[in-house]
Amino acid sequence: MKVILTEDVKSLGKKGDIVNVSDGYARNMLLPKKLGVEANGKNLNDLKLKNQHEEKVAKENLEAAENFAAEVAEKEVTVKIKTGEGGKTFGSVSSKEIAAAAKEQLDLELDKKKMQLPEGGLKTVGTHEITIKFHPKVSGTLKVKVVES
């Protein structure tokens, strides 16, 4: 019997897979526990429509991430850091500070966890480019200008 899995089943398949199992396994295990549904015409059509919808949503998310990355690449954020004699900095600029500055200066919501800073943050005065992951397939850069306070 062909069954469309509605949940991941160990050693059988992932959610959405069409698998061929014995009639008894399907009737006694998969169907009563709602782990799968029979692969008839209606259910196959529903699965096809669901997959098309998921592909469309994923494509829209990718395009939105690409547009946002292009928008962010044109912007620059200024962050202040304390410095001592000879331009030596105290501490470093973290992703949290960059995200707060982007929200305040540019009104952009950036996730601090998706910023890829050098180990320990930005420790020198000047302009730096940091990479931000907007989507698994899309990353962009943001210019961060670190100035003395």
Side-chain angles (χ1 to χ4, degrees):
M1 173 184 279
K2 287 195 174 193
V3 176
I4 301 170
L5 297 178
T6 56
E7 300 288 329
D8 290 352
V9 179
K10 190 173 182 178
S11 76
L12 190 58
K14 301 261 184 215
K15 180 178 179 178
D17 287 351
I18 300 172
V19 293
N20 202 5
V21 295
S22 68
D23 292 349
Y25 185 63
R27 266 186 266 127
N28 297 323
M29 174 71 176
L30 297 178
L31 300 179
K33 292 188 176 184
K34 308 268 190 250
L35 297 175
V37 292
E38 188 177 347
N40 57 23
K42 178 194 176 301
N43 291 336
L44 287 171
N45 192 36
D46 289 347
L47 177 67
K48 186 174 111 181
L49 291 174
K50 182 180 164 206
N51 287 341
Q52 287 175 346
H53 177 69
E54 287 175 356
E55 288 175 13
K56 180 182 173 189
V57 168
K59 185 177 179 184
E60 289 172 355
N61 288 342
L62 179 64
E63 288 175 2
E66 288 172 343
N67 292 338
F68 191 60
E71 179 185 336
V72 168
E74 301 168 359
K75 311 269 180 164
E76 182 177 88
V77 175
T78 303
V79 182
K80 293 182 179 179
I81 189 171
K82 279 189 169 184
T83 57
E85 287 183 32
K88 183 171 166 97
T89 60
F90 296 111
S92 64
V93 177
S94 67
S95 58
K96 182 178 179 182
E97 293 168 316
I98 295 169
K103 174 71 174 155
E104 181 184 312
Q105 296 170 19
L106 307 174
D107 200 31
L108 291 176
E109 291 284 337
L110 298 176
D111 188 0
K112 67 178 184 174
K113 295 175 185 159
K114 299 195 177 187
M115 293 182 191
Q116 298 173 338
L117 296 177
E119 190 68 33
L122 303 177
K123 296 183 179 187
T124 58
V125 176
T127 303
H128 304 274
E129 286 193 0
I130 60 166
T131 305
I132 304 172
K133 297 283 277 181
F134 297 107
H135 186 274
K137 295 179 182 175
V138 178
S139 61
T141 59
L142 174 68
K143 289 185 183 115
V144 178
K145 187 176 185 178
V146 180
V147 295
E148 298 178 18
S149 64

